[in-house]
Amino acid sequence: MKEFEREKHIRYFVANLRMLPTAYTETETNRMTLAFFCLSSLELLGALEKEISEQDRLDWIEWIYAQQIRLDSKGLNREHCGFRGSSYSGRAFDPNASETEYIPYDSAHIASTYTALLNLLLLGDDLSRVDRDGIVGTIQCLQQKDGSIAPTKDSLEKDARFLYCACAVSYILDDWRGLDIDLSVEYAKRLQTYEHTFAQSPNNEAHGGSTFCGVGALTLMGKQTEGLINKEKLIKWCLNQQTTGFAGRPNKDADACYCFWIGAALKMVDAYQLVNQENCRGFLLDCQTKIGGFGKTPGSYPDVMHSYMGLAALSLMEYPGIGELEVAINTPKRSIEKQKKERRAE
Ligand SMILES: [Zn+2]
């Protein structure tokens, strides 16, 4: 069996954290999330503290806070608070820029708010400068009458991903005022298909990514029992997606990211022991590339998302040398544990 290339992975993530290859240009607005994949991977590899200088750590915390849109004193921007995905508009580099002013097409995004909070925790920040009331109020505005969540005000993309992000943000802040839990559970029920697993939106096809989001949202809300329509059948569907690794849905090839998305869903419903871990491990090790990182399939070029998911999937099977994950929140346990301890001490 192939070796686990720890040192190469560390070099890969450090390099991508500093400068992404040009192929990522079109994903500029998601820079917050791309940074999360690199920071979280280095933490899982136990290398974050050693590889990141104190100055970089402090600078990056400042960059993240510069992406925050805070609630203004009159509450006029209450639909737009949280974190932007990047400083692409240039406004975040302007020392005179307002912390509260909302400019169209430059609003916070619920997915960026989620990964910004995780990045702050990974960098050892205590979230004391996070505008909690602003974020909670915005989640309230983003939740629709049917319980779905829009990622930004007026966005037409209202699906399982953003319900998950809203639950994750509420969980991290330990503040659930933004979400109507009953309505959210009802929506999560409507996401479940005739195969009893989750689709991206009601009446769509079951999918591995949405299954992670749906099971994750219910787990974070503490509503698995009420929300899962048929847990046994959901487990069966998930297990049926495994060949060597996992595919995202029937008749597709195995892909490193679904070893995490579906593996994590199985872990959250206490069924991970039913996975053929030897096959999954072999597939993931074959997805490693010569320059470090993981491709989505053996032989494909690496990207930071599949590389993080490869490590996260190996973490599910307690692979030696990889840290433990808090699975429902999809982040290394160590970074979220510190925050929980501080919360208890308050
Ligand atoms: Zn994939």
Side-chain angles (χ1 to χ4, degrees):
M1 187 185 274
K2 254 192 170 175
E3 297 272 307
F4 178 63
E5 302 276 8
R6 182 173 187 276
E7 292 308 315
K8 278 189 188 172
H9 296 319
I10 293 174
R11 298 275 73 79
Y12 172 82
F13 287 113
V14 168
N16 280 283
L17 194 50
R18 298 195 176 282
M19 188 179 286
L20 288 165
T22 45
Y24 288 89
T25 307
E26 64 191 64
T27 63
E28 165 63 28
T29 52
N30 291 323
R31 214 189 317 164
M32 192 69 79
T33 302
L34 300 175
F36 164 73
F37 293 138
C38 297
L39 293 173
S40 195
S41 295
L42 287 170
E43 176 66 32
L44 282 179
L45 291 163
L48 187 61
E49 266 171 34
K50 191 167 148 256
E51 296 294 333
I52 303 304
S53 73
E54 184 61 8
Q55 194 55 52
D56 279 345
R57 189 177 75 81
L58 297 172
D59 286 350
W60 293 345
I61 289 174
E62 289 313 307
W63 181 83
I64 295 166
Y65 277 117
Q67 312 317 316
Q68 183 172 218
I69 298 179
R70 305 176 67 91
L71 188 64
D72 66 32
S73 55
K74 291 182 187 148
L76 294 175
N77 65 348
R78 71 184 289 265
E79 293 161 326
H80 305 290
C81 298
F83 288 80
R84 301 183 198 90
S86 87
S87 45
Y88 74 96
S89 68
R91 193 166 67 130
F93 292 124
D94 176 359
N96 302 314
S98 153
E99 282 191 311
T100 57
E101 188 189 8
Y102 158 69
I103 296 171
Y105 308 113
D106 190 25
S107 78
H109 188 287
I110 189 76
S112 308
T113 302
Y114 161 55
T115 51
L117 295 176
L118 292 181
N119 285 341
L120 287 169
L121 292 176
L122 282 158
L123 292 168
D125 183 75
D126 62 4
L127 307 187
S128 58
R129 287 189 274 161
V130 171
D131 179 9
R132 290 160 185 266
D133 287 342
I135 292 174
V136 166
T138 294
I139 292 177
Q140 244 166 22
C141 298
L142 295 178
Q143 187 158 37
Q144 313 293 305
K145 285 194 182 87
D146 66 354
S148 65
I149 304 277
T152 57
K153 166 91 170 69
D154 295 333
S155 168
L156 297 176
E157 290 184 294
K158 304 171 186 101
D159 60 50
R161 292 172 298 172
F162 307 119
L163 173 66
Y164 172 74
C165 290
C167 289
V169 167
S170 306
Y171 178 87
I172 297 166
L173 297 178
D174 194 23
D175 189 334
W176 291 86
R177 286 175 297 153
L179 275 176
D180 181 327
I181 303 254
D182 291 341
L183 201 56
S184 304
V185 173
E186 277 317 304
Y187 180 68
K189 279 184 171 170
R190 290 181 50 228
L191 289 172
Q192 289 164 73
T193 69
Y194 69 94
E195 293 165 300
H196 298 102
T197 188
F198 290 80
Q200 193 82 302
S201 50
N203 306 319
N204 271 326
E205 181 190 10
H207 190 275
S210 336
T211 297
F212 170 83
C213 292
V215 175
L218 290 171
T219 305
L220 292 167
M221 289 189 283
K223 295 287 181 189
Q224 262 194 29
T225 316
E226 296 91 326
L228 291 179
I229 291 170
N230 188 328
K231 189 162 124 177
E232 300 308 313
K233 287 197 174 151
L234 178 135
I235 291 171
K236 197 171 168 196
W237 184 91
C238 287
L239 292 170
N240 277 339
Q241 308 318 310
Q242 182 172 22
T243 50
T244 47
F246 281 81
R249 54 200 157 116
N251 302 316
K252 292 279 184 179
D253 292 332
D255 171 333
C257 73
Y258 294 107
C259 298
F260 175 75
W261 298 125
I262 297 182
L266 285 165
K267 195 100 177 180
M268 287 186 274
V269 294
D270 296 324
Y272 195 74
Q273 67 281 7
L274 300 173
V275 170
N276 184 328
Q277 294 185 28
E278 197 182 329
N279 278 354
C280 193
R281 191 184 307 120
F283 171 78
L284 288 166
L285 293 176
D286 283 344
C287 289
Q288 298 180 106
T289 81
K290 280 188 198 140
I291 57 166
F294 294 69
K296 69 181 208 167
T297 53
S300 54
Y301 201 74
D303 64 83
V304 290
M305 190 273 263
H306 285 92
S307 298
Y308 169 68
M309 294 303 166
L311 286 180
L314 286 170
S315 163
L316 294 177
M317 53 186 91
E318 297 168 28
Y319 195 90
I322 301 181
E324 199 182 340
L325 279 174
E326 173 121 348
V327 178
I329 207 83
N330 185 14
T331 205
K333 216 166 204 160
R334 225 168 67 105
S335 61
I336 191 101
E337 283 294 313
K338 244 193 293 174
Q339 159 81 353
K340 276 192 193 159
K341 236 181 258 160
E342 276 159 22
R343 202 188 281 166
R344 277 197 295 270
E346 270 169 19

